[in-house]
Amino acid sequence: MNNNKSLLLKISVIMNTVLAFFGSYIGNLYIIQIIALIPAFLAVPLKEIKIKKDTEMWLIVVVIFFLSAVISNNKIASVEIVCMIAMAVMLKIIYENSDIKLSKFFINFVEMASCIHVIATIMQLINPGFIQNINTSILGSAGIKTNLELLKVGSYAGITAQTAVNAYYITIFICIKFSKILTEKRYKVINVMWLLVAIIALFLTGKRGMVICIIISSSILYLYKMRSNYKKIVKNIVIALIFIAFFYIIIINVPEAKVLIDKTSQLEKNNDILNGRSYLWSETIKIFKCYPIMGIGIGSIKDILGDYSHNVYIQLLAETGIIGFLSYAIAITTSLLMSIKKLKNALKGKNKMVMEILGFSILMQIIFIIYSITGNPLYGHIFLIPYIISTAMHNQKNIE
């Protein structure tokens, strides 16, 4: 019975990883999400399921979002988003009632999936024709056109149609390697080399937001883990500054890697460092002021602005009102704080596998929270699924 349960959960992990990293090549992401949820449901009987503290808050979020969908003018869009979030929370409930080994399996599988995107990005720099041939087979005509247009301006989307998506995949790979470097002595040199390659790939995407996210999240995790070892902190800060100087020299001298600086400089010249987001934010806040309690309905902001707000928190204020915003803010904060608390306990016990898993979990959560300031990660499977799985890790069995 336990073998069958483990197998079904691993199948679920594989399917959800495929959904997040390659689902856009296959078809309807909602259908894939439903199919990926089935083996997880079959693996854990309902009588064995226990709802954890932070998950209770996530369930409240789902209920409030559902009520928001009821009053929405675009009920189809609202229901789709609520269903996506609800199924993600169901997955969280099931995964956190499983063994910690499932998280290790997930991280290992995600490492392989994200590595493909790192390699594809580097290959697009070295041999763009080769990647274009691959994209012809997996991307639609619109996706190929967008990919090539981005390439012309020096932004590398790899085998995706968006640099933001590609940057997120690469960032996940960086999270895995960084958490391993902090906890494992084995293969440290190899992990550092892969980390450097991934950082180069991330710069090639030209996405400033993800670069900032990974710098802040990795710094927070590192300083927390090493908070009692000041000598080591100073030593590694010096090493980090040397690497930063090295990468800066590369960036300013290699045209392909300079896109991030050039983009920032151009936006500064145009007095638009936020790349058009300031207008979207101000208009979204105006909508919130008109509907402060329950909002206009989750997922309906595009009907008014023609685009997402590119700030999850402001958008939730407008779409779900102060009630939806506060419930969501409490849910993401509670999950993160509980993960940090478990890491604190793990550092005392010096269980390296637990530290690696929790380190990855915390990195993913911080990145999701920070990226939500300038992006729309709550509203897409690609961003939401890896994040919500990471929030389940601190609740799993044998995590102490």
Side-chain angles (χ1 to χ4, degrees):
M1 183 65 182
N2 286 334
N3 289 337
N4 291 337
K5 176 181 176 179
S6 177
L7 177 61
L8 286 169
L9 287 171
K10 286 180 179 179
I11 291 172
S12 174
V13 164
I14 292 170
M15 294 176 74
N16 276 289
T17 303
V18 170
L19 163 65
F21 288 85
F22 309 107
S24 57
Y25 311 142
I26 302 171
N28 190 305
L29 296 180
Y30 290 93
I31 294 174
I32 300 173
Q33 187 181 16
I34 293 170
I35 295 172
L37 193 58
I38 292 173
F41 262 120
L42 295 174
V44 182
L46 289 175
K47 63 181 180 179
E48 294 183 10
I49 290 178
K50 295 179 181 178
I51 308 297
K52 312 298 181 178
K53 288 182 180 179
D54 63 315
T55 310
E56 291 175 357
M57 198 62 230
W58 278 103
L59 290 173
I60 292 172
V61 168
V62 171
V63 172
I64 294 172
F65 284 3
F66 174 77
L67 294 175
S68 172
V70 171
I71 64 171
S72 173
N73 289 327
N74 189 343
K75 288 184 171 56
I76 294 176
S78 296
V79 169
E80 283 182 348
I81 291 173
V82 172
C83 286
M84 175 187 68
I85 296 172
M87 286 191 286
V89 173
M90 290 179 196
L91 191 68
K92 170 178 166 61
I93 292 171
I94 295 170
Y95 280 10
E96 62 193 12
N97 279 276
S98 63
D99 192 83
I100 188 178
K101 292 179 182 178
L102 185 69
S103 287
K104 183 63 176 174
F105 179 80
F106 171 74
I107 291 172
N108 289 341
F109 202 76
V110 166
E111 182 178 6
M112 290 187 288
S114 56
C115 185
I116 290 171
H117 291 280
V118 171
I119 294 171
T121 305
I122 299 296
M123 284 301 299
Q124 192 172 32
L125 171 65
I126 298 170
N127 190 349
F130 175 72
I131 296 299
Q132 187 176 342
N133 289 334
I134 294 175
N135 287 340
T136 302
S137 302
I138 62 177
L139 298 179
S141 56
I144 295 170
K145 182 181 177 182
T146 303
N147 185 287
L148 290 174
E149 288 174 351
L150 289 166
L151 187 60
K152 286 178 182 177
V153 297
S155 297
Y156 293 77
I159 53 174
T160 74
Q162 296 181 37
T163 49
V165 171
N166 192 36
Y168 185 62
Y169 292 150
I170 295 168
T171 300
I172 291 175
F173 184 80
I174 292 173
C175 288
I176 294 172
K177 288 303 179 184
F178 187 74
S179 62
K180 285 188 174 183
I181 290 168
L182 285 182
T183 56
E184 289 184 5
K185 290 185 178 179
R186 293 187 312 159
Y187 313 120
K188 182 161 281 191
V189 174
I190 294 174
N191 285 330
V192 169
M193 289 176 65
W194 270 112
L195 179 66
L196 296 177
V197 170
I199 290 172
I200 293 169
L202 182 59
F203 272 96
L204 288 173
T205 66
K207 297 305 293 183
R208 300 168 299 160
M210 281 300 173
V211 172
I212 293 170
C213 285
I214 197 64
I215 290 173
I216 294 174
S217 60
S218 57
S219 298
I220 290 172
L221 179 64
Y222 173 76
L223 291 173
Y224 182 81
K225 184 177 184 296
M226 300 293 182
R227 62 192 186 281
S228 60
N229 194 337
Y230 297 108
K231 289 184 179 179
K232 197 165 186 177
I233 289 176
V234 173
K235 174 186 173 183
N236 286 329
I237 286 176
V238 172
I239 294 172
L241 289 173
I242 293 171
F243 274 115
I244 290 170
F246 173 72
F247 273 106
Y248 181 75
I249 292 170
I250 291 176
I251 290 167
I252 62 174
N253 288 286
V254 179
E256 290 83 0
K258 202 180 175 184
V259 60
L260 192 145
I261 292 176
D262 289 344
K263 180 180 178 181
T264 303
S265 300
Q266 187 60 45
L267 290 172
E268 286 178 347
K269 287 179 183 178
N270 297 335
N271 294 318
D272 187 20
I273 194 67
L274 294 174
N275 200 15
R277 289 180 175 86
S278 55
Y279 168 77
L280 293 171
W281 293 356
S282 62
E283 291 300 306
T284 305
I285 291 171
K286 288 178 184 177
I287 295 170
F288 163 64
K289 289 179 179 178
C290 294
Y291 305 90
I293 306 302
M294 287 296 293
I296 59 173
I298 189 166
S300 59
I301 200 76
K302 287 182 72 175
D303 294 338
I304 300 174
L305 301 182
D307 195 1
Y308 289 109
S309 300
H310 290 275
N311 183 309
V312 169
Y313 310 111
I314 296 175
Q315 184 165 332
L316 283 177
L317 279 170
E319 290 183 339
T320 65
I322 192 69
I323 296 174
F325 166 77
L326 286 176
S327 64
Y328 176 75
I330 292 170
I332 61 174
T333 304
T334 303
S335 290
L336 177 59
L337 291 177
M338 289 183 69
S339 297
I340 293 173
K341 182 179 178 181
K342 287 294 179 71
L343 177 61
K344 182 179 180 180
N345 295 335
L347 290 172
K348 293 176 182 177
K350 296 184 179 181
N351 186 321
K352 291 184 179 180
M353 185 176 78
V354 173
M355 287 191 288
E356 178 192 335
I357 290 170
L358 290 173
F360 170 77
S361 169
I362 291 168
L363 286 173
M364 287 296 297
Q365 290 181 66
I366 295 174
I367 286 168
F368 188 90
I369 289 169
I370 297 173
Y371 184 56
S372 293
I373 297 172
T374 58
N376 319 295
L378 178 66
Y379 295 84
H381 294 85
I382 290 169
F383 297 92
L384 180 63
I385 298 301
Y387 163 73
I388 209 73
I389 292 176
S390 73
T391 66
M393 293 177 178
H394 66 267
N395 284 326
Q396 289 183 309
K397 299 173 184 176
N398 304 322
I399 197 69
E400 297 294 347

